[in-house]
Amino acid sequence: MATMASANAPAPLGSLDLQGFAAILDLLAQAGGMNGLPGAHRAPETKRLHLGYDEAAERLNIPEKWLRERISTLPHRKLGKFVQFTEDDLRAISDMHFVNPGKEDQKSVDPKRSPLQPSRRSRRNP
């Protein structure tokens, strides 16, 4: 009877089989589950066309209050009463505030402007 029970039982897994199975599970965990495997169907990532103040401030890593206070000088979209920002607006805002301390500012090198000089008029002391 012992031979009959062993004939119906599945063959025991060897140590190499267990190591291979563990390696596969490890790879799945690193890849983020079944969606991380090549050829696995992934849901398309949806990007929103416009962002509100809160999301734009988070993306720019600045306080929302800063955006609200300076909105009249910043690129944005206005949909009715709603202020919205696109990716291009966020890039433009970032570029507007680019500072390169190693180079002279282009505004100060303008050849059309003459340097400041004192007035030729003399001031009278009362």
Side-chain angles (χ1 to χ4, degrees):
M1 288 216 173
T3 57
M4 196 170 195
S6 63
N8 292 337
L13 293 174
S15 64
L16 289 177
D17 293 333
L18 289 176
Q19 287 175 351
F21 184 71
I24 290 171
L25 288 177
D26 187 42
L27 288 173
L28 277 173
Q30 289 175 6
M34 293 299 287
N35 290 337
L37 293 176
H41 177 69
R42 292 184 183 177
E45 293 181 17
T46 56
K47 286 191 174 185
R48 293 181 41 206
L49 183 59
H50 295 114
L51 305 172
Y53 276 114
D54 54 343
E55 292 171 297
E58 184 179 329
R59 295 278 309 277
L60 290 168
N61 198 24
I62 58 172
E64 183 178 334
K65 183 179 177 182
W66 188 93
L67 273 179
R68 288 184 184 275
E69 290 173 349
R70 292 163 179 81
I71 193 60
S72 63
T73 62
L74 300 174
H76 63 281
R77 306 290 187 265
K78 190 94 179 211
L79 303 171
K81 66 178 184 177
F82 301 104
V83 173
Q84 301 286 304
F85 300 90
T86 63
E87 292 293 325
D88 292 335
D89 295 335
L90 297 181
R91 278 191 208 95
I93 292 170
S94 178
D95 290 344
M96 287 171 61
H97 295 89
F98 173 74
V99 176
N100 189 353
K103 298 204 176 220
E104 288 188 38
D105 189 16
Q106 292 296 328
K107 294 175 188 173
S108 64
V109 184
D110 190 4
K112 295 177 186 174
R113 292 187 174 193
S114 62
L116 290 177
Q117 296 180 0
S119 172
R120 293 184 186 151
R121 248 179 5 162
S122 64
R123 294 188 180 174
R124 294 183 190 171
N125 290 334

